[in-house]
Amino acid sequence: MKSEVNIMMHAQEKVNSIPSKRKRVGILGGGFNPIHMGHLIMADQVCHQLALDSFFLMPSYESPHVDKKETIDSNERVQMLKLATEDNPKLGIELAEINRKGKSYTYDTMKNLIEANPDTDYYFIIGGDMIEYLPKWYKIDELMKMIQFVGVERVGSSKETPYPIIWVDLPLIEISSSDIRKKIASNCSAKYFLPENVLNYIHKKGLYQNGVQ
């Protein structure tokens, strides 16, 4: 009986020693002010082309840019993200920077996420126009060891970089949140630029009506 127990314990130890399948998760950060079809197509296409387990849209709490612009409350942006992703089981929302508040560096955010999810490999998506700025990112060399950057081509962007970037080909969709805000403030149609339920939410709440950027 004792030997049988030992055999079972040994077998369990072997099972426990087998590394579990690591999760592959995509991250797209931004203001999402508001979320639009370009964001969603990018997230969905990268998720499927790289065979990721899931993909998270990660809204920033405060714009990292130097010039101060009036923006809508982060709670409104999060609500629009929830509406935009509710019909896609692969897409979700990561609220790490919203919960932290203030400005967040990608290095600090991803370090915290990796520590909280040690069984996950993160794929961080950036537009091709951001590639040339990577050397200026906070602790970029350490960040490169932590995550895999995925580049999405943009018009006029260059693929030349000393960093290991995975490039993904996507249909060119020139939609920007700033253009949508201007259309809404000018009482122009923004239909098809963003999900209908998000557009309905914007009109219902009266968002961007007074030119709030």
Short mmCIF file of all heavy atoms in Angstrom, two decimals, residues 28-85:
data_model
loop_
_atom_site.label_atom_id
_atom_site.label_comp_id
_atom_site.label_asym_id
_atom_site.label_seq_id
_atom_site.Cartn_x
_atom_site.Cartn_y
_atom_site.Cartn_z
N LEU A 28 -3.45 46.53 -26.80
CA LEU A 28 -3.43 47.77 -27.58
C LEU A 28 -3.81 48.91 -26.65
O LEU A 28 -4.93 48.96 -26.13
CB LEU A 28 -4.43 47.70 -28.75
CG LEU A 28 -4.59 49.00 -29.56
CD1 LEU A 28 -3.27 49.37 -30.24
CD2 LEU A 28 -5.69 48.85 -30.61
N GLY A 29 -2.86 49.80 -26.41
CA GLY A 29 -3.12 50.92 -25.52
C GLY A 29 -3.54 52.16 -26.29
O GLY A 29 -3.30 52.26 -27.50
N GLY A 30 -4.17 53.09 -25.60
CA GLY A 30 -4.57 54.33 -26.25
C GLY A 30 -5.61 55.08 -25.44
O GLY A 30 -6.07 54.61 -24.41
N GLY A 31 -5.97 56.26 -25.94
CA GLY A 31 -6.98 57.06 -25.27
C GLY A 31 -8.38 56.54 -25.54
O GLY A 31 -9.26 56.67 -24.70
N PHE A 32 -8.58 55.98 -26.74
CA PHE A 32 -9.90 55.48 -27.17
C PHE A 32 -10.97 56.54 -26.89
O PHE A 32 -11.94 56.29 -26.18
CB PHE A 32 -10.23 54.16 -26.47
CG PHE A 32 -9.21 53.08 -26.73
CD1 PHE A 32 -8.38 52.62 -25.72
CD2 PHE A 32 -9.07 52.55 -28.01
CE1 PHE A 32 -7.43 51.64 -25.98
CE2 PHE A 32 -8.12 51.56 -28.26
CZ PHE A 32 -7.30 51.11 -27.26
N ASN A 33 -10.75 57.69 -27.50
CA ASN A 33 -11.58 58.87 -27.21
C ASN A 33 -12.23 59.43 -28.48
O ASN A 33 -11.93 60.56 -28.89
CB ASN A 33 -10.68 59.92 -26.54
CG ASN A 33 -11.45 61.12 -26.04
OD1 ASN A 33 -12.57 61.00 -25.57
ND2 ASN A 33 -10.85 62.31 -26.15
N PRO A 34 -13.12 58.64 -29.16
CA PRO A 34 -13.67 57.35 -28.71
C PRO A 34 -13.04 56.16 -29.44
O PRO A 34 -12.27 56.33 -30.38
CB PRO A 34 -15.14 57.49 -29.12
CG PRO A 34 -15.05 58.24 -30.44
CD PRO A 34 -13.91 59.23 -30.25
N ILE A 35 -13.40 54.96 -29.00
CA ILE A 35 -13.05 53.73 -29.70
C ILE A 35 -13.69 53.77 -31.09
O ILE A 35 -14.80 54.26 -31.24
CB ILE A 35 -13.56 52.50 -28.91
CG1 ILE A 35 -13.28 51.18 -29.66
CG2 ILE A 35 -15.06 52.61 -28.59
CD1 ILE A 35 -11.88 50.72 -29.58
N HIS A 36 -12.98 53.28 -32.13
CA HIS A 36 -13.57 53.27 -33.47
C HIS A 36 -13.25 51.97 -34.21
O HIS A 36 -12.56 51.09 -33.67
CB HIS A 36 -13.13 54.50 -34.27
CG HIS A 36 -11.64 54.66 -34.41
ND1 HIS A 36 -10.85 53.77 -35.11
CD2 HIS A 36 -10.79 55.62 -33.94
CE1 HIS A 36 -9.59 54.17 -35.09
NE2 HIS A 36 -9.53 55.30 -34.37
N MET A 37 -13.76 51.84 -35.42
CA MET A 37 -13.62 50.61 -36.19
C MET A 37 -12.17 50.26 -36.48
O MET A 37 -11.80 49.09 -36.55
CB MET A 37 -14.40 50.71 -37.50
CG MET A 37 -15.91 50.69 -37.33
SD MET A 37 -16.47 49.19 -36.49
CE MET A 37 -18.24 49.30 -36.79
N GLY A 38 -11.33 51.28 -36.65
CA GLY A 38 -9.91 51.02 -36.90
C GLY A 38 -9.27 50.26 -35.75
O GLY A 38 -8.51 49.31 -35.96
N HIS A 39 -9.58 50.68 -34.52
CA HIS A 39 -9.07 49.98 -33.33
C HIS A 39 -9.54 48.53 -33.31
O HIS A 39 -8.75 47.60 -33.05
CB HIS A 39 -9.58 50.66 -32.05
CG HIS A 39 -9.10 52.05 -31.85
ND1 HIS A 39 -9.94 53.08 -31.49
CD2 HIS A 39 -7.87 52.60 -31.96
CE1 HIS A 39 -9.26 54.20 -31.38
NE2 HIS A 39 -8.00 53.94 -31.66
N LEU A 40 -10.82 48.33 -33.57
CA LEU A 40 -11.41 47.00 -33.47
C LEU A 40 -10.90 46.06 -34.55
O LEU A 40 -10.64 44.88 -34.29
CB LEU A 40 -12.93 47.10 -33.53
CG LEU A 40 -13.58 47.86 -32.36
CD1 LEU A 40 -15.06 48.10 -32.63
CD2 LEU A 40 -13.40 47.09 -31.05
N ILE A 41 -10.75 46.57 -35.77
CA ILE A 41 -10.21 45.74 -36.85
C ILE A 41 -8.78 45.35 -36.54
O ILE A 41 -8.36 44.21 -36.74
CB ILE A 41 -10.30 46.49 -38.19
CG1 ILE A 41 -11.77 46.61 -38.61
CG2 ILE A 41 -9.49 45.78 -39.27
CD1 ILE A 41 -12.00 47.48 -39.83
N MET A 42 -7.99 46.31 -36.05
CA MET A 42 -6.61 46.03 -35.69
C MET A 42 -6.53 44.94 -34.62
O MET A 42 -5.78 43.97 -34.75
CB MET A 42 -5.92 47.31 -35.18
CG MET A 42 -4.44 47.14 -34.88
SD MET A 42 -3.71 48.61 -34.08
CE MET A 42 -4.08 49.88 -35.31
N ALA A 43 -7.33 45.09 -33.57
CA ALA A 43 -7.31 44.13 -32.47
C ALA A 43 -7.73 42.74 -32.95
O ALA A 43 -7.07 41.73 -32.65
CB ALA A 43 -8.24 44.59 -31.35
N ASP A 44 -8.81 42.67 -33.71
CA ASP A 44 -9.33 41.38 -34.18
C ASP A 44 -8.36 40.71 -35.14
O ASP A 44 -8.10 39.50 -35.04
CB ASP A 44 -10.68 41.59 -34.85
CG ASP A 44 -11.32 40.28 -35.26
OD1 ASP A 44 -11.72 39.50 -34.36
OD2 ASP A 44 -11.42 40.00 -36.46
N GLN A 45 -7.79 41.47 -36.08
CA GLN A 45 -6.89 40.89 -37.07
C GLN A 45 -5.58 40.40 -36.45
O GLN A 45 -5.10 39.31 -36.76
CB GLN A 45 -6.59 41.92 -38.17
CG GLN A 45 -7.74 42.14 -39.14
CD GLN A 45 -8.02 40.90 -39.97
OE1 GLN A 45 -7.12 40.32 -40.58
NE2 GLN A 45 -9.28 40.48 -39.99
N VAL A 46 -5.00 41.21 -35.56
CA VAL A 46 -3.76 40.80 -34.90
C VAL A 46 -4.01 39.56 -34.05
O VAL A 46 -3.20 38.62 -34.04
CB VAL A 46 -3.19 41.94 -34.02
CG1 VAL A 46 -2.05 41.42 -33.16
CG2 VAL A 46 -2.71 43.09 -34.89
N CYS A 47 -5.12 39.55 -33.36
CA CYS A 47 -5.47 38.41 -32.50
C CYS A 47 -5.53 37.12 -33.31
O CYS A 47 -4.99 36.08 -32.91
CB CYS A 47 -6.82 38.67 -31.82
SG CYS A 47 -7.28 37.41 -30.61
N HIS A 48 -6.15 37.16 -34.48
CA HIS A 48 -6.30 35.96 -35.29
C HIS A 48 -5.03 35.62 -36.09
O HIS A 48 -4.65 34.45 -36.19
CB HIS A 48 -7.49 36.12 -36.24
CG HIS A 48 -8.81 35.92 -35.57
ND1 HIS A 48 -9.47 36.94 -34.91
CD2 HIS A 48 -9.59 34.82 -35.42
CE1 HIS A 48 -10.60 36.48 -34.40
NE2 HIS A 48 -10.69 35.21 -34.69
N GLN A 49 -4.37 36.63 -36.63
CA GLN A 49 -3.16 36.35 -37.42
C GLN A 49 -2.03 35.79 -36.57
O GLN A 49 -1.23 34.98 -37.05
CB GLN A 49 -2.71 37.62 -38.14
CG GLN A 49 -3.63 38.04 -39.28
CD GLN A 49 -3.05 39.16 -40.10
OE1 GLN A 49 -1.84 39.23 -40.35
NE2 GLN A 49 -3.90 40.08 -40.56
N LEU A 50 -1.95 36.21 -35.32
CA LEU A 50 -0.89 35.70 -34.43
C LEU A 50 -1.39 34.57 -33.54
O LEU A 50 -0.66 34.11 -32.66
CB LEU A 50 -0.34 36.84 -33.57
CG LEU A 50 0.33 38.00 -34.33
CD1 LEU A 50 0.93 38.99 -33.34
CD2 LEU A 50 1.41 37.49 -35.27
N ALA A 51 -2.64 34.13 -33.76
CA ALA A 51 -3.23 33.04 -32.98
C ALA A 51 -3.13 33.29 -31.48
O ALA A 51 -2.71 32.43 -30.71
CB ALA A 51 -2.54 31.72 -33.34
N LEU A 52 -3.52 34.50 -31.07
CA LEU A 52 -3.49 34.86 -29.66
C LEU A 52 -4.71 34.28 -28.95
O LEU A 52 -5.76 34.07 -29.56
CB LEU A 52 -3.48 36.38 -29.49
CG LEU A 52 -2.33 37.13 -30.19
CD1 LEU A 52 -2.45 38.63 -29.92
CD2 LEU A 52 -0.97 36.61 -29.73
N ASP A 53 -4.57 34.01 -27.67
CA ASP A 53 -5.69 33.48 -26.90
C ASP A 53 -6.75 34.54 -26.63
O ASP A 53 -7.94 34.25 -26.57
CB ASP A 53 -5.19 32.90 -25.57
CG ASP A 53 -4.28 31.70 -25.78
OD1 ASP A 53 -4.73 30.71 -26.38
OD2 ASP A 53 -3.11 31.77 -25.37
N SER A 54 -6.29 35.78 -26.44
CA SER A 54 -7.21 36.88 -26.19
C SER A 54 -6.50 38.19 -26.48
O SER A 54 -5.29 38.24 -26.68
CB SER A 54 -7.72 36.86 -24.74
OG SER A 54 -6.64 36.89 -23.82
N PHE A 55 -7.29 39.26 -26.51
CA PHE A 55 -6.74 40.57 -26.84
C PHE A 55 -7.44 41.61 -25.97
O PHE A 55 -8.67 41.61 -25.86
CB PHE A 55 -6.99 40.88 -28.31
CG PHE A 55 -6.17 42.02 -28.83
CD1 PHE A 55 -5.09 41.80 -29.68
CD2 PHE A 55 -6.48 43.33 -28.51
CE1 PHE A 55 -4.34 42.85 -30.17
CE2 PHE A 55 -5.74 44.39 -28.97
CZ PHE A 55 -4.66 44.15 -29.81
N PHE A 56 -6.63 42.50 -25.37
CA PHE A 56 -7.19 43.51 -24.47
C PHE A 56 -6.89 44.92 -24.97
O PHE A 56 -5.77 45.25 -25.34
CB PHE A 56 -6.62 43.34 -23.06
CG PHE A 56 -7.10 42.11 -22.36
CD1 PHE A 56 -6.35 40.94 -22.40
CD2 PHE A 56 -8.32 42.10 -21.68
CE1 PHE A 56 -6.81 39.78 -21.78
CE2 PHE A 56 -8.77 40.95 -21.05
CZ PHE A 56 -8.02 39.80 -21.10
N LEU A 57 -7.92 45.75 -24.96
CA LEU A 57 -7.78 47.17 -25.23
C LEU A 57 -7.52 47.86 -23.89
O LEU A 57 -8.27 47.66 -22.94
CB LEU A 57 -9.05 47.71 -25.88
CG LEU A 57 -9.42 47.03 -27.21
CD1 LEU A 57 -10.82 47.44 -27.65
CD2 LEU A 57 -8.41 47.38 -28.29
N MET A 58 -6.45 48.62 -23.82
CA MET A 58 -6.03 49.20 -22.54
C MET A 58 -6.08 50.73 -22.59
O MET A 58 -5.17 51.38 -23.10
CB MET A 58 -4.61 48.74 -22.19
CG MET A 58 -4.13 49.22 -20.83
SD MET A 58 -2.57 48.42 -20.34
CE MET A 58 -1.43 49.14 -21.54
N PRO A 59 -7.17 51.32 -22.09
CA PRO A 59 -7.29 52.79 -22.11
C PRO A 59 -6.37 53.46 -21.10
O PRO A 59 -6.17 52.96 -19.99
CB PRO A 59 -8.76 53.02 -21.74
CG PRO A 59 -9.11 51.84 -20.89
CD PRO A 59 -8.35 50.68 -21.48
N SER A 60 -5.80 54.59 -21.51
CA SER A 60 -4.97 55.37 -20.59
C SER A 60 -5.87 56.24 -19.73
O SER A 60 -6.96 56.63 -20.16
CB SER A 60 -3.99 56.24 -21.39
OG SER A 60 -4.70 57.09 -22.27
N TYR A 61 -5.41 56.55 -18.54
CA TYR A 61 -6.20 57.42 -17.66
C TYR A 61 -6.01 58.88 -18.06
O TYR A 61 -6.95 59.66 -18.10
CB TYR A 61 -5.77 57.23 -16.21
CG TYR A 61 -6.54 58.11 -15.24
CD1 TYR A 61 -7.82 57.77 -14.82
CD2 TYR A 61 -5.98 59.30 -14.77
CE1 TYR A 61 -8.54 58.58 -13.96
CE2 TYR A 61 -6.69 60.11 -13.89
CZ TYR A 61 -7.97 59.75 -13.49
OH TYR A 61 -8.67 60.56 -12.64
N GLU A 62 -4.77 59.21 -18.37
CA GLU A 62 -4.43 60.59 -18.71
C GLU A 62 -3.52 60.57 -19.93
O GLU A 62 -2.64 59.72 -20.05
CB GLU A 62 -3.70 61.25 -17.53
CG GLU A 62 -3.34 62.70 -17.74
CD GLU A 62 -2.62 63.29 -16.53
OE1 GLU A 62 -2.78 62.74 -15.42
OE2 GLU A 62 -1.90 64.29 -16.70
N SER A 63 -3.74 61.50 -20.85
CA SER A 63 -2.93 61.56 -22.05
C SER A 63 -1.46 61.79 -21.70
O SER A 63 -1.14 62.66 -20.89
CB SER A 63 -3.41 62.70 -22.96
OG SER A 63 -2.51 62.87 -24.04
N PRO A 64 -0.55 61.01 -22.32
CA PRO A 64 0.88 61.18 -22.03
C PRO A 64 1.50 62.37 -22.76
O PRO A 64 2.65 62.71 -22.52
CB PRO A 64 1.47 59.85 -22.53
CG PRO A 64 0.56 59.48 -23.66
CD PRO A 64 -0.81 59.90 -23.22
N HIS A 65 0.71 63.00 -23.65
CA HIS A 65 1.25 64.11 -24.43
C HIS A 65 1.44 65.36 -23.57
O HIS A 65 0.72 65.59 -22.60
CB HIS A 65 0.33 64.42 -25.61
CG HIS A 65 0.13 63.25 -26.51
ND1 HIS A 65 1.15 62.64 -27.18
CD2 HIS A 65 -1.01 62.56 -26.84
CE1 HIS A 65 0.68 61.63 -27.89
NE2 HIS A 65 -0.63 61.55 -27.69
N VAL A 66 2.39 66.18 -23.99
CA VAL A 66 2.72 67.39 -23.23
C VAL A 66 1.59 68.40 -23.29
O VAL A 66 1.24 69.03 -22.30
CB VAL A 66 4.03 68.03 -23.78
CG1 VAL A 66 4.30 69.34 -23.06
CG2 VAL A 66 5.20 67.07 -23.61
N ASP A 67 1.00 68.56 -24.51
CA ASP A 67 -0.06 69.56 -24.63
C ASP A 67 -1.33 69.07 -23.97
O ASP A 67 -1.82 67.98 -24.23
CB ASP A 67 -0.33 69.87 -26.11
CG ASP A 67 -0.68 68.63 -26.92
OD1 ASP A 67 -0.08 67.57 -26.65
OD2 ASP A 67 -1.54 68.74 -27.82
N LYS A 68 -1.86 69.88 -23.09
CA LYS A 68 -3.04 69.52 -22.32
C LYS A 68 -4.31 69.74 -23.15
O LYS A 68 -4.52 70.83 -23.68
CB LYS A 68 -3.12 70.35 -21.03
CG LYS A 68 -2.01 70.04 -20.03
CD LYS A 68 -2.24 68.70 -19.36
CE LYS A 68 -1.20 68.45 -18.28
NZ LYS A 68 -1.39 67.15 -17.61
N LYS A 69 -5.14 68.73 -23.27
CA LYS A 69 -6.40 68.84 -23.98
C LYS A 69 -7.52 68.35 -23.08
O LYS A 69 -7.35 67.40 -22.34
CB LYS A 69 -6.37 68.02 -25.27
CG LYS A 69 -5.43 68.57 -26.34
CD LYS A 69 -5.53 67.76 -27.61
CE LYS A 69 -4.64 68.32 -28.69
NZ LYS A 69 -4.73 67.55 -29.95
N GLU A 70 -8.64 69.02 -23.20
CA GLU A 70 -9.79 68.61 -22.42
C GLU A 70 -10.33 67.30 -22.98
O GLU A 70 -10.58 67.19 -24.19
CB GLU A 70 -10.87 69.69 -22.48
CG GLU A 70 -12.06 69.40 -21.57
CD GLU A 70 -13.12 70.48 -21.66
OE1 GLU A 70 -12.92 71.43 -22.44
OE2 GLU A 70 -14.14 70.35 -20.96
N THR A 71 -10.47 66.30 -22.16
CA THR A 71 -10.97 65.01 -22.60
C THR A 71 -12.16 64.60 -21.74
O THR A 71 -12.34 65.11 -20.63
CB THR A 71 -9.89 63.91 -22.49
OG1 THR A 71 -9.44 63.82 -21.13
CG2 THR A 71 -8.71 64.22 -23.39
N ILE A 72 -12.94 63.68 -22.25
CA ILE A 72 -14.08 63.22 -21.48
C ILE A 72 -13.61 62.33 -20.34
O ILE A 72 -12.49 61.82 -20.36
CB ILE A 72 -15.09 62.46 -22.37
CG1 ILE A 72 -14.46 61.21 -22.96
CG2 ILE A 72 -15.64 63.37 -23.46
CD1 ILE A 72 -15.46 60.32 -23.67
N ASP A 73 -14.44 62.11 -19.39
CA ASP A 73 -14.12 61.30 -18.22
C ASP A 73 -13.74 59.88 -18.64
O ASP A 73 -14.32 59.33 -19.58
CB ASP A 73 -15.33 61.27 -17.28
CG ASP A 73 -15.00 60.59 -15.97
OD1 ASP A 73 -14.57 61.28 -15.04
OD2 ASP A 73 -15.18 59.36 -15.90
N SER A 74 -12.77 59.31 -17.96
CA SER A 74 -12.31 57.96 -18.31
C SER A 74 -13.42 56.93 -18.18
O SER A 74 -13.44 55.94 -18.92
CB SER A 74 -11.13 57.56 -17.41
OG SER A 74 -11.50 57.57 -16.04
N ASN A 75 -14.36 57.15 -17.28
CA ASN A 75 -15.48 56.21 -17.12
C ASN A 75 -16.33 56.13 -18.39
O ASN A 75 -16.84 55.06 -18.73
CB ASN A 75 -16.37 56.62 -15.93
CG ASN A 75 -15.66 56.44 -14.60
OD1 ASN A 75 -14.87 55.52 -14.42
ND2 ASN A 75 -15.93 57.33 -13.66
N GLU A 76 -16.47 57.25 -19.08
CA GLU A 76 -17.23 57.26 -20.33
C GLU A 76 -16.49 56.47 -21.41
O GLU A 76 -17.09 55.71 -22.18
CB GLU A 76 -17.47 58.70 -20.81
CG GLU A 76 -18.24 59.57 -19.84
CD GLU A 76 -19.73 59.25 -19.83
OE1 GLU A 76 -20.12 58.17 -20.32
OE2 GLU A 76 -20.50 60.09 -19.33
N ARG A 77 -15.18 56.64 -21.47
CA ARG A 77 -14.38 55.92 -22.47
C ARG A 77 -14.42 54.42 -22.20
O ARG A 77 -14.48 53.61 -23.14
CB ARG A 77 -12.95 56.44 -22.48
CG ARG A 77 -12.83 57.85 -23.03
CD ARG A 77 -11.41 58.33 -23.13
NE ARG A 77 -10.85 58.69 -21.84
CZ ARG A 77 -9.76 58.17 -21.30
NH1 ARG A 77 -9.12 57.20 -21.92
NH2 ARG A 77 -9.32 58.58 -20.13
N VAL A 78 -14.37 54.04 -20.94
CA VAL A 78 -14.44 52.62 -20.58
C VAL A 78 -15.80 52.04 -20.95
O VAL A 78 -15.89 50.92 -21.48
CB VAL A 78 -14.18 52.43 -19.06
CG1 VAL A 78 -14.51 51.00 -18.64
CG2 VAL A 78 -12.73 52.76 -18.73
N GLN A 79 -16.86 52.79 -20.71
CA GLN A 79 -18.20 52.31 -21.06
C GLN A 79 -18.32 52.09 -22.56
O GLN A 79 -18.93 51.11 -23.01
CB GLN A 79 -19.26 53.32 -20.58
CG GLN A 79 -20.68 52.85 -20.79
CD GLN A 79 -20.99 51.53 -20.11
OE1 GLN A 79 -20.57 51.30 -18.98
NE2 GLN A 79 -21.70 50.65 -20.80
N MET A 80 -17.75 52.99 -23.36
CA MET A 80 -17.79 52.83 -24.81
C MET A 80 -16.99 51.60 -25.25
O MET A 80 -17.38 50.90 -26.19
CB MET A 80 -17.28 54.10 -25.49
CG MET A 80 -18.26 55.27 -25.40
SD MET A 80 -17.78 56.70 -26.41
CE MET A 80 -16.45 57.39 -25.42
N LEU A 81 -15.88 51.33 -24.57
CA LEU A 81 -15.09 50.13 -24.87
C LEU A 81 -15.89 48.87 -24.57
O LEU A 81 -15.83 47.89 -25.32
CB LEU A 81 -13.79 50.14 -24.05
CG LEU A 81 -12.67 51.05 -24.57
CD1 LEU A 81 -11.59 51.22 -23.51
CD2 LEU A 81 -12.08 50.47 -25.84
N LYS A 82 -16.62 48.89 -23.48
CA LYS A 82 -17.45 47.73 -23.13
C LYS A 82 -18.50 47.47 -24.20
O LYS A 82 -18.73 46.32 -24.60
CB LYS A 82 -18.12 47.96 -21.77
CG LYS A 82 -17.17 47.92 -20.58
CD LYS A 82 -17.91 48.17 -19.27
CE LYS A 82 -16.96 48.10 -18.09
NZ LYS A 82 -17.64 48.39 -16.80
N LEU A 83 -19.11 48.53 -24.68
CA LEU A 83 -20.12 48.39 -25.72
C LEU A 83 -19.50 47.87 -27.02
O LEU A 83 -20.08 47.02 -27.71
CB LEU A 83 -20.80 49.74 -25.98
CG LEU A 83 -21.70 50.29 -24.87
CD1 LEU A 83 -22.11 51.72 -25.18
CD2 LEU A 83 -22.94 49.41 -24.71
N ALA A 84 -18.31 48.38 -27.35
CA ALA A 84 -17.66 48.02 -28.61
C ALA A 84 -17.17 46.58 -28.64
O ALA A 84 -17.06 45.98 -29.72
CB ALA A 84 -16.49 48.98 -28.87
N THR A 85 -16.87 46.01 -27.49
CA THR A 85 -16.29 44.67 -27.44
C THR A 85 -17.26 43.59 -26.98
O THR A 85 -16.89 42.42 -26.92
CB THR A 85 -15.07 44.65 -26.51
OG1 THR A 85 -15.46 45.07 -25.19
CG2 THR A 85 -13.98 45.58 -27.01
#
